[in-house]
Amino acid sequence: MQATSITLAFRVLPVLVDGTVAVAHVARSFRVFLSLDACWWPRCKSLSDTSPDEGLIEDLTVEDKAVEQLAEGLLSHYLPDLQRSKQALQELTQNQVVLLDTLEQEISKFKECHSMLDINALFTEAKHYHAKLVNIRKEMLMLHEKTSKLKKRALKLQQKRQKEELEREQQREKEFEREKQLTAKPAKRT
């Protein structure tokens, strides 16, 4: 039965951790322990007992002072350890909260790094396309210069051909005039 008493005592201990323990509550628990022990021990003395009511709770008288002293003894024995445990648990909980905050900050930093990588990829892609645009613009300017040179050359060639055509025409006219002059003319009879 002592094992039952100890288990019941440890059921009371969580109340001690909260710090809201009344000695009367613990004393009541001790009265229950003592009454359970008192009920059990007389039955163990002899197995041939004929009276099942012998040694019942009513027959047991427990002094309140003894119960209070037992309760205070139990409290003084377990309370410091339980308070240290409570303080250690609170510190552990606070450390876990700090750790969780730190972890969330690190996760946000990683997300920013990934977004920075995406931004860097966009910038490199933009640089690539900008270089392509610059090359296309250079090619277009070069083609424009070539076409304007070709137009000028074509205009010069056209003017030169026209001039040559005009000179040929003038040359033909001169030759025709000369031929005309060289052709024999019948002399006029006078």
Side-chain angles (χ1 to χ4, degrees):
M1 201 61 181
Q2 287 177 344
T4 308
S5 301
I6 292 171
T7 4
L8 290 174
F10 281 109
R11 288 183 185 165
V12 174
L13 290 180
V15 178
L16 297 176
V17 175
D18 290 342
T20 58
V21 175
V23 176
H25 182 69
V26 177
R28 256 184 279 127
S29 301
F30 270 117
R31 278 196 192 103
V32 172
F33 303 152
L34 291 175
S35 64
L36 288 173
D37 286 341
C39 290
W40 185 73
W41 283 108
R43 290 185 186 156
C44 286
K45 287 179 184 174
S46 73
L47 297 173
S48 63
D49 266 348
T50 55
S51 172
D53 294 336
E54 185 178 330
L56 284 178
I57 298 175
E58 292 91 24
D59 297 339
L60 179 68
T61 56
V62 179
E63 292 184 25
D64 288 339
K65 188 174 184 182
V67 172
E68 285 183 22
Q69 286 176 348
L70 285 172
E72 287 175 6
L74 181 70
L75 284 176
S76 65
H77 183 70
Y78 288 110
L79 190 61
D81 289 336
L82 291 173
Q83 286 176 342
R84 279 193 299 271
S85 298
K86 179 181 178 182
Q87 187 177 10
L89 285 173
Q90 285 176 345
E91 187 176 324
L92 180 66
T93 305
Q94 288 174 350
N95 288 342
Q96 284 179 341
V97 167
V98 169
L99 183 64
L100 285 174
D101 289 342
T102 306
L103 193 61
E104 286 178 6
Q105 290 173 357
E106 291 298 320
I107 288 171
S108 65
K109 285 180 184 177
F110 279 123
K111 286 181 181 178
E112 287 176 14
C113 287
H114 285 293
S115 65
M116 289 298 284
L117 291 176
D118 293 340
I119 290 172
N120 287 337
L122 287 175
F123 275 122
T124 54
E125 193 175 344
K127 284 181 184 178
H128 175 72
Y129 286 119
H130 183 272
K132 277 188 170 184
L133 284 174
V134 167
N135 287 337
I136 290 172
R137 185 171 185 233
K138 283 181 184 178
E139 287 178 17
M140 288 181 73
L141 287 174
M142 195 168 62
L143 289 174
H144 178 70
E145 287 177 15
K146 283 183 179 180
T147 54
S148 60
K149 284 180 182 178
L150 285 174
K151 283 181 182 178
K152 285 181 184 178
R153 188 172 175 200
L155 185 63
K156 284 181 183 179
L157 286 173
Q158 186 179 11
Q159 287 175 352
K160 187 176 180 182
R161 281 189 185 151
Q162 285 176 355
K163 192 176 182 181
E164 285 176 358
E165 284 288 323
L166 187 62
E167 286 177 359
R168 278 191 214 143
E169 191 64 35
Q170 287 176 355
Q171 186 72 21
R172 279 189 203 146
E173 281 182 24
K174 281 184 186 177
E175 283 182 26
F176 185 71
E177 284 285 326
R178 193 169 175 204
E179 287 269 334
K180 219 178 181 187
Q181 285 178 359
L182 288 177
T183 50
K185 292 184 186 175
K188 287 185 180 176
R189 294 192 178 172
T190 43

